[in-house]
Amino acid sequence: DGIDASQLSLISLYPNPAKNSVSIKNAENYTISVYSIVGQIVKQSLVKTNLYTMDISELPSGIYIMSFQYGDKKFNYRLTKQ
């Protein structure tokens, strides 16, 4: 499925649930795509730093999937927006 468990354990995402922003640690050079629960892409960003803060204040409350991709590595996190 393309999940590298060692890499997965290095990336952290907090807080979760989140209100206005989410901090992502150790995802430098990853492309992050945020999908709604119905699979529509609602936000996308290329992470250029080791600690990245994504503004999610404009997103409605609900469940989102954050997809991290770098080369052939791709994995998903579930994010709850309050």
Side-chain angles (χ1 to χ4, degrees):
D1 192 294
I3 295 176
D4 179 348
S6 63
Q7 187 68 32
L8 188 64
S9 64
L10 292 176
I11 291 179
S12 59
L13 174 73
Y14 57 92
N16 191 6
K19 289 185 181 181
N20 296 313
S21 66
V22 62
S23 295
I24 300 144
K25 194 172 177 184
N26 298 326
E28 189 172 1
N29 299 319
Y30 277 79
T31 297
I32 302 173
S33 303
V34 182
Y35 294 90
S36 68
I37 202 70
V38 295
Q40 180 181 18
I41 192 161
V42 293
K43 197 164 185 74
Q44 191 167 47
S45 187
L46 174 62
V47 178
K48 303 244 185 208
T49 59
N50 190 43
L51 181 59
Y52 177 75
T53 301
M54 180 179 274
D55 180 4
I56 59 167
S57 59
E58 78 282 2
L59 297 178
S61 297
I63 305 289
Y64 294 88
I65 302 298
M66 294 187 79
S67 177
F68 291 77
Q69 185 164 2
Y70 178 69
D72 61 351
K73 294 179 183 177
K74 183 177 180 181
F75 49 90
N76 299 327
Y77 276 100
R78 182 178 166 152
L79 173 69
T80 302
K81 164 71 163 67
Q82 292 181 328

